[in-house]
Amino acid sequence: MRAQEDLAVLVEDILSAAVREHRGATRYRKPLVGFAAADDPAFRRLQEAVPGHLMPEELLPGARTVVVYFLPFDAAVVEANAAAHPYAEEWAVAYQETNRLLEEIARQLCAVLEQRGYRAVWQPPTHRFDPQTLTARWSHKSAGYIAGLGVFGRHRMLITPAGCAGRLGSIITDACISPTPRARVSCAEDDCNACVQICPVGAIGADRFDRHACRRWLLANAAAGAQVCGKCATGPCGVLEPDENR
């Protein structure tokens, strides 16, 4: 058990250092990390719900743990995006910089674990989805849910104790780290419809999400400069403090 605790602390230290040493324009709040057992039945249920979604074992034979981490944007990034149309430059920069940072973190985590005799692999943070169904073969958001980082809102974003405005990454390893209990986040369970009202193309409903309408809007924005939007993450659940959800 001590070895598992040491590995969990190691991962947290690497995340904190990566955010602290980041030299880009984007500022972040404290990163979050969660751990899931690679054989958690929720991964099988996910594959049944999303045919073609990979199991941890398929990405790394002998996998034992899925490590998922969330980098929450500074509130100023979210506030800028709420005020701009169709998106704020700060949000576009944050999206691009954070994707690169997530890749750097994944490489560093895998390298450090391998130095300690473990195997580890990672998947890119974005743009790894079926162009017809728009579903990913590995969902960092779903892995985050299984790893106890949060719950899904109507916008299909993962609402963590720090909110949903940020980016997720994950690695799979054969190191054994104790799973994180499922997170308790209240704002996805109430009658808030902010994201439904905010969405510029009506892609979000009380019980539906039109991912194709969302995708068309992103592509339209790409023609104008950047393939981003993020409006649904500017509501009340965009930026939270962990104390709000205890």
Side-chain angles (χ1 to χ4, degrees):
M1 183 62 70
R2 179 63 183 174
Q4 295 184 33
E5 293 174 355
D6 289 345
L7 285 174
V9 171
L10 175 66
V11 170
E12 292 170 356
D13 288 346
I14 290 173
L15 283 171
S16 295
V19 167
R20 186 173 60 252
E21 296 167 7
H22 174 62
R23 293 296 177 261
T26 306
R27 302 271 71 83
Y28 304 94
R29 290 172 292 130
K30 183 180 179 180
L32 304 180
V33 62
F35 306 96
D39 61 356
D40 190 310
F43 283 111
R44 181 63 64 191
R45 293 194 293 271
L46 173 60
Q47 189 178 62
E48 292 170 353
V50 184
H53 192 284
L54 296 169
M55 296 287 289
E57 178 76 19
E58 294 178 278
L59 288 167
L60 180 70
R64 301 188 69 181
T65 303
V66 177
V67 182
V68 190
Y69 34 93
F70 178 67
L71 306 186
F73 296 153
D74 185 84
V77 176
V78 185
E79 291 166 2
N81 201 41
H85 181 80
Y87 58 82
E89 181 65 20
E90 293 93 332
W91 187 272
V93 170
Y95 177 82
Q96 295 162 353
E97 286 189 345
T98 310
N99 284 339
R100 292 193 294 269
L101 180 56
L102 288 169
E103 291 188 356
E104 293 171 11
I105 290 170
R107 292 191 184 97
Q108 186 175 357
L109 286 172
C110 290
V112 170
L113 286 169
E114 288 165 5
Q115 289 171 3
R116 284 159 174 71
Y118 302 106
R119 293 177 298 130
V121 298
W122 61 281
Q123 293 285 291
T126 192
H127 296 303
R128 301 279 287 187
F129 53 81
D130 184 290
Q132 300 302 318
T133 65
L134 303 183
T135 56
R137 297 203 70 198
W138 178 257
S139 169
H140 299 288
K141 288 189 292 186
S142 295
Y145 168 76
I146 297 170
L149 276 182
V151 296
F152 283 99
R154 291 184 173 89
H155 45 25
R156 304 307 189 269
M157 301 281 281
L158 190 71
I159 304 173
T160 77
C164 64
R167 302 287 295 157
L168 288 150
S170 61
I171 67 167
I172 300 97
T173 178
D174 62 359
C176 185
I177 305 175
S178 299
T180 308
R182 297 284 195 265
R184 297 185 63 184
V185 182
S186 62
C187 65
E189 301 167 5
D190 60 21
D191 295 326
C192 178
N193 286 302
C195 61
V196 177
Q197 298 162 359
I198 291 171
C199 179
V201 291
I204 306 168
D207 57 0
R208 65 169 181 83
F209 174 63
D210 187 341
R211 64 183 67 241
H212 291 279
C214 178
R215 175 67 172 163
R216 287 192 295 270
W217 178 246
L218 292 176
L219 291 175
N221 286 349
Q227 193 178 135
V228 298
C229 174
K231 292 296 186 179
C232 61
T234 62
C237 66
V239 177
L240 297 174
E241 294 298 330
D243 285 346
E244 295 177 24
N245 299 289
R246 288 178 182 171

